[in-house]
Amino acid sequence: MSGIPTPTEIVLVRHARSVPPTADGPDEFTRPLTTDGLRQAQELVAVLTEPRPAAVWSSPYRRAIQTVQPTADALGLPVRTLTELREWDDGLSFTEVWESHYVRSWANLSYARPGGESLEQLSIRAVEAVRTLVRHNPGRVVLVGSHGTFISRALAGFGVPVSWATVRQMPMPAIYRLRFTDPSTRPTVCGWT
């Protein structure tokens, strides 16, 4: 025996194409995938079953659950939800001019609108959520359904350079693999879409 522990791998999946937000709903928790997004989720099954996940976790938001559900079904695993995997709480009510608010937040990571969280706070939450999954799943592969800003800020928290452009260019869906040899250290990050 070499004594080298088996790495723990977290496979972060940005949800597939979702119904855009509107003033009259559905809300962030219930906003679903589009018909195209549901097709994309089915197409992800071959890719996401390949690393043989032992557990499937998701943000409680419907679009994230719907993205990983077909893979969980193929693996015979339940989708468990964890509130800490949810998308950034930007503190905005619905607005069609949201981009200027996001640009401001990315320019000043400690800025938070009333009732919302800063991107700095999101990074702390995202890193801790990922580390918790690593600690509870040593030597296993864990599939995680989540969101673009959450994933970007998790990557930033692990030392990967990200920016507002990173989020803007991240496709739906997108997949990032984080390989941990120790839960307290930085992972090796491999990304693909």
Side-chain angles (χ1 to χ4, degrees), residues 44 71 80 83 91 94 120 168 185:
L44 285 173
T71 300
R80 296 185 177 116
T83 303
F94 175 78
E120 217 167 50
R168 294 293 290 156
T185 61

Side-chain angles (χ1 to χ4, degrees), residues 162-177:
V162 295
S163 66
W164 170 232
T166 306
V167 181
R168 294 293 290 156
Q169 294 166 5
M170 186 186 292
M172 282 186 248
I175 304 166
Y176 294 85
R177 289 171 83 157

Side-chain angles (χ1 to χ4, degrees), residues 3-10 131 134 138-140 178-188:
I4 299 171
T6 303
T8 302
E9 192 167 301
I10 303 296
R131 287 198 193 283
V134 172
R140 300 167 80 193
L178 285 65
R179 204 168 279 126
F180 292 83
T181 53
D182 179 320
S184 63
T185 61
R186 249 187 215 183
T188 303

